[in-house]
Amino acid sequence: KQFQKIQARLVRELEKKFSGRHVIIVAQRNILGKSYARSQKTKGLRPRSRTLTAVQDAILEDIVYPTEITGKRTRCKVDGRRILKVYLDGRDQANVEGRTDTYAAVYGKLTNKQVAFHFSS
């Protein structure tokens, strides 16, 4: 959260430096498996922030940072494929519209999930 204060300015400067390419900053996160067993010293369950779904949600939040996610739907197709529909804040549509393909590609590489971005009105 502390980093997000300067993230917008940093991304703008990096995009200028890399001649207009899209720049996305994603935090490093750990995923602990279901069978996670703690050592004798540190007792307790696996933290919620280290579960697979929590990490994937956090990655999605990082990718689309300047805008906010207003809703999510999972579309299950007849052939078994799942597509995550993510609704972004409509106020930021002008700033973000050109980047949605980049967001989808990055999220797909990191999580191996298909995602489609839409804007809520």
Side-chain angles (χ1 to χ4, degrees):
K1 293 291 176 193
Q2 201 72 30
F3 181 75
Q4 288 180 342
K5 290 179 182 173
I6 63 164
Q7 182 176 349
R9 194 176 342 137
L10 179 66
V11 165
R12 220 176 310 117
E13 294 295 323
L14 285 172
E15 284 180 349
K16 265 193 267 178
K17 185 173 182 173
F18 294 125
S19 66
R21 290 179 182 252
H22 295 154
V23 174
I24 296 174
I25 298 174
V26 180
Q28 181 179 351
R29 302 182 190 281
N30 292 324
I31 299 172
L32 300 176
K34 279 187 172 182
S35 60
Y36 174 69
R38 287 186 175 262
S39 64
Q40 199 62 32
K41 286 184 279 187
T42 55
K43 291 187 169 26
L45 298 171
R46 167 180 66 157
R48 292 270 184 251
S49 62
R50 307 285 197 289
T51 62
L52 179 69
T53 52
V55 169
Q56 288 177 346
D57 288 346
I59 287 173
L60 189 61
E61 289 279 343
D62 286 350
I63 287 174
V64 300
Y65 166 63
T67 82
E68 289 186 8
I69 296 173
T70 56
K72 284 191 252 182
R73 304 284 183 274
T74 303
R75 168 99 197 271
C76 297
K77 293 203 169 183
V78 179
D79 60 357
R81 284 185 296 158
R82 290 181 170 196
I83 297 175
L84 183 67
K85 285 187 175 183
V86 177
Y87 294 94
L88 301 176
D89 199 356
R91 290 176 290 187
D92 300 322
Q93 185 169 358
N95 304 336
V96 179
E97 198 155 27
R99 300 167 165 254
T100 55
D101 294 336
T102 307
Y103 291 166
V106 170
Y107 188 73
K109 278 284 187 198
L110 292 176
T111 62
N112 208 16
K113 286 186 170 183
Q114 282 188 313
V115 66
F117 291 98
H118 303 284
F119 292 95
S120 58
S121 50

